Amino acid sequence: MNQEFKNKNDYSVIVFENNRFLCKYTYVGNLYKFVLFLENTYQFKNWTAMNVYVRRSGRFLKQYRNGDFIPPKPRF
């Protein structure tokens, strides 16, 4: 198994609204559930983009935009 991914809190996520920083979450295990959380939280529901990083290494994975298909556990 890739040591970079261990299936628990694998991601760090920075969330933006129109290029303005909204929040950073360091321990995210499932990106799909995280997006559901964002959409159901008043101060984050208008998010427009999020940068996803591998938490253990800090390596950038991908930027997702609101409306994109976001898999629960992306691997690149």
Side-chain angles (χ1 to χ4, degrees):
M1 177 177 203
N2 186 345
Q3 292 295 15
E4 210 169 27
F5 297 99
K6 296 185 185 254
N7 290 323
K8 184 172 182 189
N9 300 324
D10 286 334
Y11 309 101
S12 293
V13 180
I14 299 175
V15 181
F16 300 92
E17 179 182 354
N18 299 321
N19 295 326
R20 183 178 59 88
F21 173 83
L22 276 182
C23 63
K24 178 180 180 181
Y25 280 82
T26 305
Y27 300 100
V28 177
N30 181 314
L31 292 179
Y32 177 75
K33 289 181 181 179
F34 181 72
V35 168
L36 292 177
F37 160 76
L38 290 176
E39 291 174 352
N40 289 310
T41 304
Y42 177 76
Q43 65 260 35
F44 304 138
K45 70 179 180 179
N46 294 321
W47 72 278
T48 56
M50 67 179 186
N51 292 344
V52 179
Y53 301 86
V54 177
R55 182 181 62 82
R56 288 172 179 84
S57 69
R59 184 173 62 94
F60 176 77
L61 280 181
K62 188 170 182 179
Q63 182 179 71
Y64 291 101
R65 301 224 175 255
N66 194 344
D68 289 350
F69 171 75
I70 300 173
K73 305 251 182 208
R75 302 284 193 255
F76 296 98

